[in-house]
Amino acid sequence: MKVTTVRINDDMLGRVDGLANTLSRSRSWVINQAIERFVDYEEWFVQEVKDGLQEIDQGKIATDDEVVAGFGKWGVDAS
């Protein structure tokens, strides 16, 4: 594991410390969990966008009528 330095404002650091205390974990553990969750989400989001753009390039998109019909199944007027 490598050491790095980040600047965190006092309010956020207080929140991190409060959470660490509540969870009986270290500040480092809380920060690592937060970074891991953020990076996991961002990687997932970027991949979903890439997949969506690829589907558009392949013409795999719903028509306006298909979208309206799909929402209509739940009683939503999407017209």
Side-chain angles (χ1 to χ4, degrees), residues 14-74:
R15 291 173 63 192
V16 168
D17 288 342
L19 188 55
N21 185 44
T22 299
L23 298 174
S24 299
R25 297 290 190 153
S26 68
R27 174 191 284 175
S28 179
W29 185 88
V30 172
I31 292 170
N32 275 293
Q33 288 294 305
I35 292 169
E36 184 174 343
R37 290 179 185 189
F38 174 81
V39 171
D40 284 349
Y41 173 79
E42 292 299 321
E43 288 174 338
W44 168 82
F45 183 80
V46 167
Q47 188 59 52
E48 288 296 311
V49 169
K50 286 179 180 179
D51 292 347
L53 292 173
Q54 186 176 24
E55 287 179 8
I56 290 170
D57 288 343
Q58 295 170 353
K60 297 179 181 178
I61 57 174
T63 65
D64 290 345
D65 291 338
E66 290 169 330
V67 171
V68 170
F71 276 102
K73 291 178 184 178
W74 294 290

Side-chain angles (χ1 to χ4, degrees), residues 68 71 76-79:
V68 170
F71 276 102
V76 176
D77 182 8
S79 57

